[in-house]
Amino acid sequence: MISLPLNTLMTTEELAELLSVDPSTIRRWRTTSPVQGPPFIRISERVVKYAPEDVRRWLSARRIDPAVAA
């Protein structure tokens, strides 16, 4: 069983604010095929949440170090 306090989950709007993008961008990432963006948890048809550790992992996977990329 996962012991994750529910208050640590982020809404689409909170994630959008964190990433400095519009919430519609987050929604588009979720609904495109293939799905883009960080992993999400569908609580119901209208409620979607994001776990901070999933967002951190997703961001880390997209990190580009200019010294290595050059």
Side-chain angles (χ1 to χ4, degrees), residues 26-57:
I26 306 295
R27 289 185 197 96
R28 187 177 65 249
W29 289 346
R30 256 196 338 256
T31 59
T32 59
S33 183
V35 174
Q36 302 172 17
F40 57 91
I41 302 163
R42 186 170 297 284
I43 305 295
S44 70
E45 188 64 32
R46 303 182 121 225
V47 178
V48 174
K49 300 286 186 168
Y50 295 86
E53 60 270 14
D54 288 339
V55 174
R56 277 191 216 93
R57 251 190 317 275

Side-chain angles (χ1 to χ4, degrees), residues 2-68:
I2 298 173
S3 62
L4 178 67
L6 291 179
N7 64 355
T8 65
L9 298 177
M10 291 185 284
T11 65
T12 297
E13 290 73 18
E14 290 168 333
L15 177 60
E17 185 175 334
L18 177 73
L19 298 178
S20 299
V21 299
D22 194 88
S24 66
T25 300
I26 306 295
R27 289 185 197 96
R28 187 177 65 249
W29 289 346
R30 256 196 338 256
T31 59
T32 59
S33 183
V35 174
Q36 302 172 17
F40 57 91
I41 302 163
R42 186 170 297 284
I43 305 295
S44 70
E45 188 64 32
R46 303 182 121 225
V47 178
V48 174
K49 300 286 186 168
Y50 295 86
E53 60 270 14
D54 288 339
V55 174
R56 277 191 216 93
R57 251 190 317 275
W58 179 76
L59 287 171
S60 291
R62 277 143 191 79
R63 183 176 182 274
I64 298 172
D65 184 341
V68 174

